[in-house]
Amino acid sequence: MDVYDGTQTFKTGWLRKQGSEFKTWKKRWFVFQPPNLFYYSDQKTQNLPKGTVMLTPESYCTETSLTHKKYSFQIETVHRTFLFTADSLEDKRSWMVIINK
């Protein structure tokens, strides 16, 4: 879901994210509120995020060959490369477009 409040564009939805330590894939609820991409265990626990991808002008989102999963993309930040998969090509593209704005 995309929402425009007159100043910023927000996006919410489900993605799978690869963990940094154990490299397992977990389904997470994501909320994009520039410049941050917050993720949660589910839609109902949005009080305390499980984590945050802090985007800076140096951050960028691209397709990736680091995973063999369908509809995968990555966000490269100064400190880490985050790997994601979406449920569809359309969903993947919409996340990439809004993150790269």
Side-chain angles (χ1 to χ4, degrees):
M1 174 182 183
D2 299 335
V3 178
Y4 181 69
D5 76 351
T7 59
Q8 291 183 323
T9 303
F10 302 85
K11 182 169 179 62
T12 61
W14 291 101
L15 293 169
R16 285 179 178 77
K17 184 184 89 54
Q18 187 181 58
S20 63
E21 197 170 327
F22 295 108
K23 307 298 183 201
T24 57
W25 291 89
K26 300 278 184 164
K27 189 171 185 177
R28 300 288 185 222
W29 179 254
F30 283 83
V31 176
F32 182 55
Q33 292 178 302
N36 296 309
L37 179 62
F38 301 101
Y39 55 95
Y40 304 86
S41 294
D42 57 53
Q43 287 174 272
K44 296 177 178 140
T45 57
Q46 291 189 37
N47 297 346
L48 184 62
K50 288 198 75 71
T52 305
V53 179
M54 290 181 269
L55 302 172
T56 64
E58 294 81 21
S59 302
Y60 57 92
C61 182
T62 60
E63 294 191 27
T64 182
S65 61
L66 297 176
T67 175
H68 297 292
K69 294 191 175 283
K70 209 170 184 182
Y71 314 126
S72 60
F73 62 97
Q74 68 183 25
I75 298 175
E76 189 80 34
T77 68
V78 174
H79 302 289
R80 180 176 163 200
T81 299
F82 293 86
L83 298 174
F84 303 91
T85 62
D87 289 334
S88 69
L89 181 59
E90 180 182 319
D91 200 26
K92 170 185 146 178
R93 287 180 177 160
S94 70
W95 277 103
M96 290 177 67
V97 165
I98 201 162
I99 290 168
N100 281 326
K101 276 189 178 178

